[in-house]
Amino acid sequence: MQELRVLHLEFNDLSGEIPWQLGDLVHLRELRLSFNKLTGPIPSHLGDLSDLEELHLNDNDLSGEIPIELGNLISLTDFNLGHNEVSGAIPPELGKLANLRSLELGSNNLTGQIPLELGNLVNLERLNLSHNWLTGRVPSELLNVIRLEDLRLGFNGLSGNIPTGLSTLGELRILDLARNEFSGEIPDELGSIENLESLFLYYNRLSGEIPVELARATKLNELILNGNSLVGQIPPELGSLTDLQELSLDYNLLTGTIPSEFGDLEALEELDLSHNQITGTIPPELVTLTIWKSLTLAITCLLGRFLRSWAIFQALTR
């Protein structure tokens, strides 16, 4: 079938290896084999498909390394290899895929560092490298990908400080750096990413105070900073984030009281301040919030004056 342009076989029970002969379908533009039971390596012959625009191999049991020949797919815009058993390093050759808009390599066994060549993917909008075994620092070259809307690097072994210059990614909506080994302070400039909706920095080695500048990211609906070593008081300025639905600050070293300004967070559904060193009472302003799904406060630190707030607590749990 030499004239075949589109081949969709996803969501079946196909097993065995991907036939290398698919590389002979030189006019193929879409190849979707995702959500099957395919095993074995990715054929290097797929790198001969110079007209290919979409390659979906995700959610199988593929193994082996990513063939460097896939760097020849100059027309590729969407490459999804997530949720397999692929191992080895990310080939720098993928940096030649100048038309790529989405690169999904999450949930594999990839190792090594993030290739700086990925910074050449200037049209990339989504980059998912999460749930692998990647190490080292985040290359500053990624800051060249100014069209990025979704950057997921969570659940790896990445280290160093959170890169400076992330504010240049003005289109960024999701930033996931959770469960790595990042250290240092949270950069103030993250508050300058005006389109940021979700910020996941939980379970790293971050220290210092929560930047008040985060309140400038007015579109935030998820701010997850738990499991670090953050100190100081909770910035009352966070009460201005009217779109915020989830705020998790638990398992830190925060002190002071719960800001009364949190009573303005009308969209808030989940607040977790547990396992800190917060004192005082639960602010009466929290009673005004009526759409709670979960409320977890640092009750053990509040028990000294907790009885005064018992009526408030009952109202919240209702």
Side-chain angles (χ1 to χ4, degrees):
M1 297 187 289
Q2 289 299 305
E3 298 302 318
L4 199 63
R5 262 66 169 178
V6 176
L7 179 58
H8 289 188
L9 299 174
E10 67 267 42
F11 290 98
N12 280 289
D13 289 315
L14 296 173
S15 58
E17 298 187 0
I18 299 174
W20 64 266
Q21 290 88 345
L22 291 181
D24 294 334
L25 301 175
V26 293
H27 297 296
L28 204 60
R29 294 182 180 176
E30 297 181 13
L31 176 58
R32 299 184 184 181
L33 305 177
S34 53
F35 294 96
N36 279 289
K37 299 176 182 178
L38 299 173
T39 56
I42 301 168
S44 60
H45 287 74
L46 295 185
D48 297 332
L49 302 174
S50 57
D51 290 343
L52 198 65
E53 298 174 0
E54 294 185 15
L55 178 57
H56 295 187
L57 305 177
N58 55 290
D59 292 273
N60 282 289
D61 294 309
L62 300 173
S63 57
E65 299 186 358
I66 301 174
I68 62 175
E69 289 82 1
L70 296 187
N72 298 328
L73 302 177
I74 56 175
S75 300
L76 202 62
T77 62
D78 192 346
F79 181 26
N80 193 339
L81 187 54
H83 295 274
N84 279 287
E85 300 294 332
V86 176
S87 58
I90 300 173
E93 288 79 5
L94 295 185
K96 296 188 297 183
L97 305 177
N99 292 306
L100 206 59
R101 292 198 298 267
S102 177
L103 178 58
E104 294 265 1
L105 302 179
S107 298
N108 278 288
N109 293 316
L110 297 171
T111 55
Q113 300 188 14
I114 300 174
L116 56 88
E117 288 82 0
L118 295 187
N120 297 328
L121 303 177
V122 293
N123 290 303
L124 202 63
E125 299 173 0
R126 177 178 174 84
L127 176 61
N128 185 356
L129 306 179
S130 64
H131 293 83
N132 280 291
W133 302 97
L134 301 173
T135 56
R137 295 175 178 268
V138 178
S140 59
E141 286 77 6
L142 282 185
L143 302 178
N144 298 329
V145 191
I146 58 174
R147 295 186 180 181
L148 266 181
E149 298 179 7
D150 189 343
L151 177 58
R152 299 175 190 251
L153 305 177
F155 289 79
N156 279 290
L158 301 171
S159 58
N161 294 335
I162 294 176
T164 57
L166 285 170
S167 59
T168 61
L169 304 179
E171 301 299 320
L172 200 62
R173 296 183 298 104
I174 299 173
L175 177 59
D176 183 2
L177 303 177
R179 284 197 180 271
N180 279 286
E181 298 180 12
F182 290 111
S183 57
E185 298 185 355
I186 299 174
D188 299 347
E189 63 173 338
L190 295 184
S192 301
I193 307 176
E194 60 180 17
N195 289 309
L196 194 62
E197 298 175 1
S198 300
L199 178 58
F200 304 117
L201 301 179
Y202 59 91
Y203 286 104
N204 277 285
R205 299 179 180 178
L206 300 172
S207 56
E209 298 185 356
I210 300 173
V212 298
E213 289 81 2
L214 290 181
R216 297 206 301 257
T218 55
K219 295 183 180 179
L220 269 177
N221 54 56
E222 294 177 286
L223 180 56
I224 317 298
L225 307 178
N226 56 295
N228 285 288
S229 298
L230 301 175
V231 298
Q233 299 190 21
I234 302 171
E237 290 83 356
L238 297 183
S240 65
L241 297 174
T242 54
D243 290 339
L244 200 61
Q245 298 177 13
E246 182 177 355
L247 176 59
S248 295
L249 306 177
D250 49 300
Y251 287 95
N252 279 290
L253 302 172
L254 300 172
T255 55
T257 59
I258 302 172
S260 59
E261 289 80 358
F262 280 10
D264 297 328
L265 299 175
E266 296 183 356
L268 200 63
E269 299 177 357
E270 183 170 344
L271 171 65
D272 195 337
L273 307 179
S274 64
H275 297 88
N276 279 287
Q277 300 172 18
I278 298 172
T279 57
T281 59
I282 301 173
E285 289 80 2
L286 290 183
V287 178
T288 62
L289 301 180
T290 59
I291 315 178
W292 289 83
K293 291 184 178 179
S294 173
L295 174 64
T296 309
L297 299 171
I299 298 301
T300 55
C301 298
L302 299 171
L303 282 177
R305 304 174 68 181
F306 182 72
L307 291 179
R308 294 185 183 180
S309 303
W310 180 245
I312 297 174
F313 182 76
Q314 285 183 316
L316 287 170
T317 55
R318 283 199 296 271

